[in-house]
């Protein structure tokens, strides 16, 4: 009972934090707490945090080795939150036994794109537009099995834009979804 109460309290606190973060960003009151962020370590930490969900759904997740990820000048809490949100969505909307790819793409303009690509249920264009709205929940058999507030994607978009970056998403119904977090070149710390 105590564990259930703790999990429920943590879940509620997470929802409240998301609402407050989104409101602060939209009001222009959110300040970045910039540090050097080791993306390899952060990705590994997120995968470790989500390991039980990955195992429960028998998903396979591929990711470049930690040494292939660069260091960013960014807010570490926000970077972790962005990654957890998009990785959780990929897991949530993937059927058991499916595959999720995490990619680190260095672009021609020297920006960096962190990609999470799943082979899940995907979304149609109208569903994608709904998912990008605050509190926009796309109704499906999988979404009814998973809790959510409809704040994850709008919050991630706001957070990456706060870093001077771009949020990209494409999705095909029945095929999967690709989410990209594009960080500008001035955020990449050169070795």
């Amino acid at each position: 009972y105590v564990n259930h109460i703790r999990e429920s309290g943590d879940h509620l606190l997470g929802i409240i934090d998301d609402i407050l973060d989104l409101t602060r960003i939209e009001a222009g009151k959110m300040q970045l707490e910039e540090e050097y962020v080791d993306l390899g370590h952060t990705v590994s930490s997120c995968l470790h945090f989500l390991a039980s969900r990955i195992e429960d759904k028998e998903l396979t997740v591929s990711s470049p080795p930690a040494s292939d990820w660069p260091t960013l000048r960014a807010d570490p809490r926000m970077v972790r939150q962005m990654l957890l949100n998009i990785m959780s969505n990929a897991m949530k909307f993937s059927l058991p036994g499916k595959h999720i790819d995490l990619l680190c793409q260095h672009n021609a303009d020297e920006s960096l794109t962190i990609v999470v690509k799943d082979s899940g249920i995907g979304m149609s264009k109208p569903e994608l537009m709904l998912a990008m709205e605050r509190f926009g929940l796309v109704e499906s058999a999988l979404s009814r099995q998973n809790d959510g507030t409809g704040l994850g994607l709008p919050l991630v978009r706001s957070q990456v834009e706060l870093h001077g970056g771009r949020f990209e998403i494409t999705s095909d119904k029945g095929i999967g979804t690709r989410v990209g977090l594009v960080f500008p070149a001035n955020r990449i710390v050169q070795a």
Side-chain angles (χ1 to χ4, degrees):
Y1 289 122
V2 171
N3 283 338
H4 183 67
I5 291 167
R6 169 72 188 246
E7 288 172 7
S8 297
D10 287 345
H11 177 70
L12 184 58
L13 182 60
I15 292 170
I16 292 167
D17 285 344
D18 286 353
I19 292 169
L20 291 173
D21 282 350
L22 196 54
T23 304
R24 278 189 210 107
I25 291 170
E26 289 176 353
K29 302 289 185 189
M30 180 66 90
Q31 299 294 319
L32 294 177
E33 302 288 330
E34 293 187 23
E35 296 177 19
Y36 291 127
V37 178
D38 178 342
L39 277 180
H41 175 75
T42 304
V43 168
S44 296
S45 170
C46 290
L47 287 171
H48 181 72
F49 181 78
L50 298 168
S52 63
R53 286 196 230 172
I54 294 168
E55 189 177 314
D56 289 348
K57 285 191 91 169
E58 300 174 355
L59 299 169
T60 55
V61 179
S62 66
S63 173
S67 59
D68 287 0
W69 293 89
T71 298
L72 285 181
R73 186 177 45 79
D75 186 309
R77 184 185 66 84
M78 285 189 198
V79 170
R80 180 177 168 80
Q81 189 176 21
M82 286 186 267
L83 289 171
L84 284 172
N85 267 325
I86 60 177
M87 290 165 65
S88 292
N89 276 355
M91 290 174 214
K92 197 185 301 187
F93 298 109
S94 290
L95 297 171
K98 291 293 185 174
H99 187 78
I100 297 169
D101 287 312
L102 272 73
L103 306 166
C104 176
Q105 296 179 341
H106 296 274
N107 306 314
D109 65 354
E110 298 186 8
S111 64
L112 174 82
T113 304
I114 300 170
V115 176
V116 176
K117 188 173 140 186
D118 67 59
S119 53
I121 61 172
M123 294 176 278
S124 65
K125 286 197 190 306
E127 288 173 333
L128 185 55
M129 289 173 58
L130 177 62
M132 291 309 301
E133 293 177 14
R134 291 171 63 178
F135 303 105
L137 292 171
V138 177
E139 192 63 31
S140 72
L142 278 181
S143 66
R144 283 189 294 272
Q145 296 169 13
N146 298 284
D147 56 353
T149 59
L151 290 173
L153 293 179
L155 180 59
V156 170
R157 178 179 56 200
S158 296
Q159 288 173 325
V160 77
E161 288 173 354
L162 194 59
H163 283 84
R166 226 173 39 250
F167 179 84
E168 300 174 338
I169 185 167
T170 56
S171 191
D172 292 304
K173 191 83 169 172
I175 296 174
T177 302
R178 179 194 182 278
V179 174
L181 305 176
V182 184
F183 288 90
N186 66 353
R187 291 266 169 209
I188 291 51
V189 178
Q190 301 302 321

